[in-house]
Amino acid sequence: MDFFSSPLVHTLDLVGIFVFALSGALLAVRRNFDVFGLAVLAEVTGLGGGLFRDVVIGAVPPAAFTDLGYFLTPLVATVIVFFLHPVVERINKAVLVFDAAGLGLFCVAGTLKAHEFGLSLTASAVLGLATAAGGGVLRDVLANEVPSLLRWDREMYAVPAVVGATATALLIHWDRATPVAMAAAAVLAFVLRLLALRYNWRAPRAWNRRSATADES
Amino acid sequence: MDFFSSPLVHTLDLVGIFVFALSGALLAVRRNFDVFGLAVLAEVTGLGGGLFRDVVIGAVPPAAFTDLGYFLTPLVATVIVFFLHPVVERINKAVLVFDAAGLGLFCVAGTLKAHEFGLSLTASAVLGLATAAGGGVLRDVLANEVPSLLRWDREMYAVPAVVGATATALLIHWDRATPVAMAAAAVLAFVLRLLALRYNWRAPRAWNRRSATADES
Amino acid sequence: MDFFSSPLVHTLDLVGIFVFALSGALLAVRRNFDVFGLAVLAEVTGLGGGLFRDVVIGAVPPAAFTDLGYFLTPLVATVIVFFLHPVVERINKAVLVFDAAGLGLFCVAGTLKAHEFGLSLTASAVLGLATAAGGGVLRDVLANEVPSLLRWDREMYAVPAVVGATATALLIHWDRATPVAMAAAAVLAFVLRLLALRYNWRAPRAWNRRSATADES
């Protein structure tokens, strides 16, 4: 997997962690946490998905603890949000675009890493999804909110990641996991997420669900 | 542990995962989650307890990621609940009976697997309990609810699992871990749980707790 | 690391687990959980931080499952709180002092253990913090509350742990990790926490945060 250990991909990895961390720190500001709460939510959001994947596949100590850049990147996001959060919130759309890029990259990279550790294609795709979405789920659990991943009233987040992870698994299966093909899978997930945001795509709720009895809080 | 790798036990295992997954998907419907939220809660509830046990004892990658049947079973439960949730809720009592069966099987199987990986009898029994109850706790945490395992106003769930896991540990200690004896331990936990449901058995709260000051939400 | 496997340190370790467990059981009483909920919150609060560290560094099965004393200590705390919780709440200040002692010991011991398992100094210090603060975070998540670690309106908890863990990492770096120096690092964290409690030290919120729009619940 030369491509995925290249400097370019490592940079993209850090960009993904950075934008995920921004979303964690911004939620911490909205919840009125202190500066340390900002840092914890930034670290958890940026690194949580990969940490979960690494613990499950037995890649310990996880990359989050062996690569200093992984640890420092969320702290940079914390400092920026600490001082400039009104600005960052105003450019929230830009953050969402970067977050979509992180989603695309992480679902592909997570699938590849799980497969390298000997997991089946299905399991690898599931862990690709977990890598991309896990940090956000941990962020919401720590902030005592219903994970936005699960909520009906949020734009689709999981579907693009599932598509990207599945495409990656199929490419491995067909022995076509070239750098270009992997990049295409990441871009596919990225574009799907952008389309979901642009057109408010939502996944359906249970069939025949009476919205009148909605008890979502 | 021939007995516990037999086709019969594997089938019972899948049944246990299936009914746990049903309870997760039903909670997701009640919380108004989208179809993907149903699938996530179903997977987490069905596989979470075993996943926690496997990570703790170092059995990585966990069975949840190496056995395709384990992954697909919660998806079947998701599809059923998606289309038929009013029916499933009406037969909620049947689901509770299956869930009790899953509880009985998982506390025995979890204890055995932990002991196979070299843990002490006490630690194995604790992990047996964690296998049986862990999925439900993760389900409630993700749905942003107080875990029903901990709540005073729910019928006893942990005590049957503790009894079943302890019985299994004692059988191992006495060198009597035969298939029949293991099955008896599972049935014991199963029956205790059914009795708790039938007669509304509840565990006591702290001694002298003034219910007037109850701040449970 | 002779010093940290000495009987004295093992005793201090159990004292730390005990007071952390007291805080978990007391929260369970306040939340009106049943006796089993008390035991679960006591175990999770007392052992959760070390369990997380051990899983991340690959020290499986974790110490929490190999040392019977670690498992039994939270149960003793549960029994005491079950019968005497009004008394324990009245001596809450004494509990906070012991909790500060546990904080000091755990941030040092956690950093040392992570470094023994080959992690870098930075990663070791982060895991020292996680060892000291992780149990409390898990306690609050299970009780469906915002972790007090993150909240602005609570006295600083993380900063003393960060200072103690960083001091330990620096001592290792300078090859000065003698028993006396380690003890001094633990006492430093302990005293900082006591001062934070005494003078209501709080970490700042995000710069320019309008408190009028506080949406903390």
Side-chain angles (χ1 to χ4, degrees), chain C residues 95-122:
Chain C
V95 172
L96 282 175
V97 172
F98 279 113
D99 179 87
L103 174 74
L105 192 79
F106 280 22
C107 69
V108 173
T111 305
L112 279 174
K113 183 162 183 182
H115 189 255
E116 276 180 68
F117 275 75
L119 274 77
S120 72
L121 290 175
T122 309

Side-chain angles (χ1 to χ4, degrees), chain C residues 101-160:
Chain C
L103 174 74
L105 192 79
F106 280 22
C107 69
V108 173
T111 305
L112 279 174
K113 183 162 183 182
H115 189 255
E116 276 180 68
F117 275 75
L119 274 77
S120 72
L121 290 175
T122 309
S124 298
V126 171
L127 282 170
L129 166 63
T131 308
V137 170
L138 287 173
R139 173 197 65 204
D140 294 342
V141 166
L142 283 185
N144 204 15
E145 302 200 336
V146 174
S148 63
L149 178 74
L150 307 176
R151 296 177 63 158
W152 169 75
D153 54 345
R154 296 290 163 89
E155 287 81 12
M156 291 195 313
Y157 196 91
V159 175

Side-chain angles (χ1 to χ4, degrees), chain B residues 187-202:
Chain B
V187 168
L188 176 62
F190 172 60
V191 170
L192 273 179
R193 170 66 180 156
L194 289 186
L195 288 172
L197 285 170
R198 176 73 184 76
Y199 297 106
N200 293 303
W201 289 350
R202 290 172 187 181

Side-chain angles (χ1 to χ4, degrees), chain A residues 38 47 54 63 164:
Chain A
L38 266 72
L47 304 176
D54 288 350

Side-chain angles (χ1 to χ4, degrees), chain A residues 29-38 40-41 51 55 60-62 65 68 71 81-83 85-86 141-144, chain C residues 55-56 58 119 122-123 126-127 129 137 141 144-147 150-152 158 203-207 209-210 214-216:
Chain A
V29 170
R30 268 179 238 130
R31 299 285 289 169
N32 218 15
F33 292 169
D34 66 22
V35 59
F36 187 78
L38 266 72
V40 169
L41 271 203
L51 184 63
V55 166
V60 291
F65 286 100
L68 195 59
F71 171 71
V81 169
F82 184 82
F83 287 108
H85 59 94
V141 166
L142 283 185
N144 203 14
Chain C
V55 166
V56 162
L119 274 77
T122 309
V126 171
L127 282 170
L129 166 63
V137 170
V141 166
N144 204 15
E145 302 200 336
V146 174
L150 307 176
R151 296 177 63 158
W152 169 75
R205 284 176 297 173
W207 194 72
R209 175 74 184 158
R210 295 92 33 208
D215 54 343
E216 176 62 61

Side-chain angles (χ1 to χ4, degrees), chain B residues 55-56 58 119 122-123 126-127 129 137 141 144-147 150-152 158 203-207 209-210 214-216, chain C residues 29-38 40-41 51 55 60-62 65 68 71 81-83 85-86 141-144:
Chain B
V55 166
V56 162
L119 274 77
T122 309
V126 171
L127 282 170
L129 166 63
V137 170
V141 166
N144 204 14
E145 302 201 336
V146 174
L150 306 176
R151 294 177 63 158
W152 169 75
R205 284 175 298 172
W207 193 73
R209 175 75 182 160
R210 295 93 31 209
D215 52 343
E216 175 64 61
Chain C
V29 170
R30 267 180 237 131
R31 298 285 289 169
N32 219 14
F33 292 169
D34 67 20
V35 59
F36 188 78
L38 267 71
V40 169
L41 271 204
L51 184 63
V55 166
V60 290
F65 286 100
L68 195 60
F71 172 70
V81 168
F82 184 81
F83 287 108
H85 59 94
V141 166
L142 283 185
N144 204 15

